């Protein structure tokens, strides 16, 4: 039997991606990154949707899209309209399929502040052509993230301010209780579509006010009770 080892890979294996964990020297290894689309009513309306009719839908980013610990966000190629989207990240400690709503929070390790950076012009082209969104969403450096804060220290936030400033000016502002689909509902619904795994992240949607950034901008995202993330556009 040919057992896989680092020595018998035919090309160099990619380095694992992991996030720092507040208050420890430990790291949180990233498996998959799921993203919930249009999960705040005001943002759903600004993007042309109807918050009263949409079932939750998901897209993915890749672990190697992550920008760690306040690193810079390089402005991506082939786009002239890149948008910021501040989001709360849910980090899973346990996986499973068809997870009951009542026990969904037992699967959560912690929470973090993140940005779902979007090449809006390319995403809009994909929407018009009924094509997948990857070129607009899952490009290099498209997921700046801060440290994970364990739920064992802060609980499971249901309320709290979430905002994003660009160069000190407020752009996005909302509250976690404005989410249409709450964290247990996201986990339970998503686990009916995929077998969730330890290390999975769920980006839980963004409030209204998304907008364009340019090189030189400094983004500051904050979620009450979780933390603040600074990222410069280069």
């Amino acid at each position: 039997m040919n057992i896989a080892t680092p020595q018998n890979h035919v090309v160099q294996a990619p380095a694992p991606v992991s996030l720092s964990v507040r208050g420890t020297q430990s790291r949180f290894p990233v498996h998959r990154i799921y993203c919930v689309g249009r999960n705040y009513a005001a943002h759903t309306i600004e993007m042309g949707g109807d918050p009263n009719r949409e079932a939750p839908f998901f897209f993915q980013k890749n672990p190697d899209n992550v920008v760690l610990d306040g690193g810079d966000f390089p402005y991506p190629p082939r786009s002239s309209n890149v948008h910021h989207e501040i989001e709360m990240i849910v980090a899973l400690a346990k996986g499973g399929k068809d997870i009951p709503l009542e026990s969904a929070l037992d699967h959560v390790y912690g929470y973090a502040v993140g940005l779902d950076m979007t090449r809006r012009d390319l995403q809009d082209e994909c929407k018009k052509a009924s094509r997948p969104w990857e070129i607009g969403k899952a490009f290099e450096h498209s997921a700046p993230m801060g440290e994970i804060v364990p739920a064992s220290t802060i609980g499971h936030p249901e309320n709290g301010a979430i905002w994003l400033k660009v160069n000190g000016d407020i752009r996005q502002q909302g509250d976690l209780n404005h989410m249409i689909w709450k964290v247990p509902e996201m986990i339970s619904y998503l686990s009916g579509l995929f077998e969730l795994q330890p290390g999975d992240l769920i980006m839980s949607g963004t409030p209204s006010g998304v907008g364009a950034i340019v090189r030189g901008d400094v983004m500051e995202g904050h979620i009450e009770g979780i933390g603040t993330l600074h990222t410069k556009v280069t």
Side-chain angles (χ1 to χ4, degrees):
M1 183 177 179
N2 185 6
I3 299 174
T5 69
Q7 289 73 34
N8 68 3
H9 289 159
V10 296
V11 297
Q12 184 175 355
V17 175
S18 62
L19 301 175
S20 58
V21 177
R22 181 178 298 170
T24 78
Q25 295 299 313
S26 302
R27 310 280 301 179
F28 181 92
V30 179
H31 179 244
R32 292 176 177 166
I33 304 173
Y34 299 97
C35 308
V36 186
R38 297 196 287 253
N39 197 32
Y40 286 73
H43 175 61
T44 302
I45 293 169
E46 76 176 352
M47 299 305 292
D50 183 343
N52 297 312
R53 291 185 178 179
E54 285 193 320
F57 69 95
F58 300 88
F59 56 91
Q60 289 187 335
K61 290 178 181 282
N62 304 303
D64 59 4
N65 297 153
V66 171
V67 176
L68 296 171
D69 301 326
D72 292 343
F73 170 72
Y75 199 94
R78 306 292 180 91
S79 178
S80 58
N81 190 22
V82 178
H83 280 201
H84 53 74
E85 299 189 7
I86 178 75
E87 311 217 356
M88 183 177 77
I89 295 170
V90 184
L92 299 187
K94 296 191 295 183
K97 295 189 289 187
D98 299 318
I99 297 169
L101 188 64
E102 297 75 18
S103 61
L105 288 180
D106 296 339
H107 294 251
V108 176
Y109 176 79
Y111 299 88
V113 181
L115 289 168
D116 168 17
M117 300 306 296
T118 302
R119 291 195 281 209
R120 190 72 73 202
D121 43 3
L122 300 189
Q123 185 196 27
D124 288 344
E125 291 176 9
C126 292
K127 288 179 180 178
K128 290 176 184 174
S130 299
R131 292 173 177 167
W133 291 3
E134 276 81 0
I135 62 171
K137 288 289 191 178
F139 54 93
E140 279 72 24
H141 314 291
S142 62
M145 294 183 181
E147 62 186 1
I148 301 283
V149 186
S152 59
T153 62
I154 63 166
H156 300 284
E158 298 179 350
N159 304 283
I162 175 172
W163 52 255
L164 181 106
K165 295 178 181 177
V166 177
N167 303 328
D169 297 326
I170 194 76
R171 292 277 192 92
Q172 291 186 259
Q173 197 165 21
D175 193 286
L176 296 178
N177 64 20
H178 295 165
M179 286 195 290
I180 299 170
W181 298 92
K182 309 305 183 188
V183 172
E185 294 170 320
M186 286 182 234
I187 294 171
S188 181
Y189 189 94
L190 191 57
S191 71
L193 299 170
F194 298 92
E195 182 173 359
L196 300 180
Q197 300 290 335
D200 284 345
L201 302 176
I202 303 173
M203 301 187 77
S204 58
T206 195
S208 62
V210 299
I213 47 86
V214 298
R215 289 183 178 88
D217 282 346
V218 175
M219 299 179 286
E220 178 186 5
H222 177 80
I223 301 176
E224 184 178 351
I226 298 177
T228 303
L229 175 66
H230 295 86
T231 301
K232 183 177 181 180
V233 184
T234 59

